[in-house]
């Protein structure tokens, strides 16, 4: 059996390569050869005769990216892909994640989907902005629906910052969210593999309301309360994720699901928890492929 580990061609820094290499080593310890491949190799295309054209002979793909087109096409060609394209797509768009999880008993901060505006000249109505401010209170959180590392997450401290941020982002998918002040500068990151929480840490920042490691946060050893385990595992189950890093906020009445990262980095979580997360994920993938249980080939 042969696998590919797909990484982004333009964003494959040391965090991404750490995860790819750790997984590749774990596969090879189990006798499975994998190749790390950037996503710009047209691995799968809409080919002649309306059929998927394949540029790989892999049996499975570990997709350490969020670029869904190739991911969907690999699946169409019958290749097992981890995570699935649909799960990745749902997680990549934070508003779609909240929509997928709503009405499933998953507590989340109140969230309003921003109205998409198609022209650069149109002004946002005061009525629209006032509704957002009155409903969620100020300060409030504004997020681009697509984004990572805290880079597209903003705190609107007052009405004029809200107006400035919302106007700047009006032509892209955006959400407005209640600011969970009890969670300022901290959250819990829970890694879920095959439906089970395998590693967890709190992340704290001294310098920002966002606790992302990439924005200056740091991971710390912690216990995993049942309520946090449940929200992380249930979210992963609903989103049908083989692997994810669930970000959970500390709400005043309990945990609130912030987002599920289909492509969470593992360096800080492995350092803090000393869990071999890469190996857990590889083990899950090989079990799902039935490798080693009579399926070894
Ligand atoms: N509603 C919120 N209230 C308080 N803090 C938040 C809220 N949403 C996000 N954060 C903080 O910002 C960080 C980044 O937000 P997140 O939605 O996880 O985006 P990203 O994909 O950039 O990590 C979170 O880890 C958390 O620390
Ligand atoms: Mg996050």
């Amino acid at each position: 059996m042969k696998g590919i580990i797909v990484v982004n061609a333009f964003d494959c820094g040391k965090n991404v390569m750490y995860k790819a290499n750790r997984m590749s080593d774990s596969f090879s310890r189990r006798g499975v050869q994998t190749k790390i491949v950037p996503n710009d190799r047209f691995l799968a295309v809409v080919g002649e005769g309306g059929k998927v054209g394949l540029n790989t002979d892999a049996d499975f793909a570990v997709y350490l990216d969020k670029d869904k087109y190739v991911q969907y096409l690999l699946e169409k060609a019958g290749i097992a892909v981890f995570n699935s394209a649909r799960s990745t797509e749902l997680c990549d768009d934070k508003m779609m994640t909240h929509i997928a999880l709503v009405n499933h008993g998953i507590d989340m901060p109140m969230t309003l989907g921003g109205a998409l505006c198609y022209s650069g000249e149109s002004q946002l109505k005061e009525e629209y902005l006032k509704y957002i401010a009155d409903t969620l209170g100020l300060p409030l959180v504004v997020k681009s629906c697509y984004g990572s590392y805290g880079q597209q997450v903003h705190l609107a401290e007052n009405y004029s910052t809200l107006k400035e941020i919302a106007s700047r982002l009006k032509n892209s998918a955006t959400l407005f969210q209640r600011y969970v002040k009890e969670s300022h500068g901290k959250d819990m990151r829970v890694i879920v593999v095959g439906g089970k929480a395998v590693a967890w840490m709190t992340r704290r920042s001294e310098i920002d309301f966002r606790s992302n490691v990439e924005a200056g946060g740091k991971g710390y050893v912690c216990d995993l309360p049942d309520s946090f385990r449940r929200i992380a595992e249930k979210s992963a189950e609903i989103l049908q994720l083989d692997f994810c890093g669930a970000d959970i906020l500390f709400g005043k009445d309990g945990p609130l699901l912030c987002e599920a990262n289909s492509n969470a980095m593992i360096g800080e979580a492995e350092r803090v928890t000393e869990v071999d997360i890469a190996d857990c994920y590889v083990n899950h993938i090989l079990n799902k492929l039935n490798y080693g249980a009579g399926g070894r080939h």
Side-chain angles (χ1 to χ4, degrees):
M1 188 161 58
K2 284 196 294 269
I4 44 174
I5 299 176
V6 183
V7 297
N8 189 276
F10 312 102
D11 176 21
C12 56
K14 104 175 176 301
N15 287 343
V16 177
M17 290 317 291
Y18 173 82
K19 187 173 177 187
N21 286 321
R22 296 262 305 132
M23 290 190 72
S24 172
D25 290 348
S26 170
F27 276 117
S28 87
R29 281 196 303 274
R30 292 154 186 268
V32 175
Q33 288 316 308
T34 53
K35 208 162 89 188
I36 299 172
V37 189
N39 71 329
D40 64 351
R41 299 291 162 86
F42 303 102
L43 293 165
V45 300
V46 177
E48 303 290 356
K51 293 221 166 85
V52 182
L54 267 184
N55 289 315
T56 173
D57 61 354
D59 304 295
F60 70 94
V62 183
Y63 221 83
L64 304 186
D65 193 20
K66 302 192 273 190
D67 188 1
K68 64 193 173 211
Y69 301 136
V70 168
Q71 202 174 0
Y72 268 113
L73 286 165
L74 289 170
E75 284 179 0
K76 288 256 178 175
I79 293 175
V81 182
F82 304 90
N83 287 302
S84 74
R86 179 64 183 152
S87 300
T88 306
E89 186 177 21
L90 284 177
C91 292
D92 191 25
D93 179 337
K94 294 186 203 308
M95 192 66 206
M96 286 306 293
T97 311
H98 291 300
I99 292 167
L101 295 178
V102 81
N103 280 352
H104 279 285
I106 304 282
D107 218 351
M108 298 177 273
M110 186 176 187
T111 304
L112 310 180
L116 197 55
C117 166
Y118 300 107
S119 105
E121 283 88 61
S122 304
Q123 300 286 317
L124 296 183
K125 296 191 185 93
E126 293 295 332
E127 203 185 350
Y128 171 75
L129 293 167
K130 286 218 169 74
Y131 183 89
I132 295 167
D134 290 349
T135 307
L136 301 175
L138 286 161
L140 60 84
V141 173
V142 187
K143 301 183 191 181
S144 289
C145 291
Y146 300 98
S148 319
Y149 308 144
Q151 284 164 1
Q152 287 78 17
V153 175
H154 316 277
L155 191 62
E157 297 275 4
N158 51 44
Y159 187 79
S160 70
T161 345
L162 167 64
K163 189 169 180 175
E164 185 269 307
I165 300 170
S167 303
R168 185 157 40 84
L169 300 179
K170 68 176 190 248
N171 298 128
S172 59
T174 307
L175 65 80
F176 301 92
Q177 192 165 73
R178 187 163 280 163
Y179 166 53
V180 183
K181 65 174 187 305
E182 299 77 11
S183 208
H184 183 98
K186 63 173 189 198
D187 69 359
M188 194 184 288
R189 163 59 65 88
V190 182
I191 304 283
V192 183
V193 178
K196 296 269 166 267
V198 299
W200 45 88
M201 61 180 174
T202 48
R203 299 185 302 179
R204 285 204 298 273
S205 171
E206 305 301 327
I207 55 167
D208 202 282
F209 82 101
R210 295 161 295 192
S211 52
N212 301 69
V213 173
E214 298 81 2
K218 211 166 165 305
Y220 297 89
V221 172
C222 68
D223 290 331
L224 181 65
D226 282 348
S227 57
F228 282 69
R229 179 189 296 276
R230 191 196 142 274
I231 199 170
E233 292 183 350
K234 183 115 195 264
S235 302
E237 181 196 325
I238 295 161
L239 296 163
Q240 295 185 27
L241 286 155
D242 294 289
F243 170 93
C244 80
D247 291 350
I248 305 173
L249 299 167
F250 295 92
K252 74 174 183 336
D253 300 318
L256 299 168
L257 199 281
C258 174
E259 68 156 348
N261 298 278
S262 62
N263 192 28
M265 297 299 136
I266 60 170
E268 181 75 348
E270 287 199 331
R271 183 189 70 77
V272 170
T273 64
E274 295 180 11
V275 173
D276 190 337
I277 296 170
D279 198 58
C280 291
Y281 191 14
V282 166
N283 188 45
H284 165 74
I285 290 169
L286 294 180
N287 278 338
K288 227 172 150 179
L289 293 170
N290 224 12
Y291 181 81
R296 189 180 280 254
H297 57 282

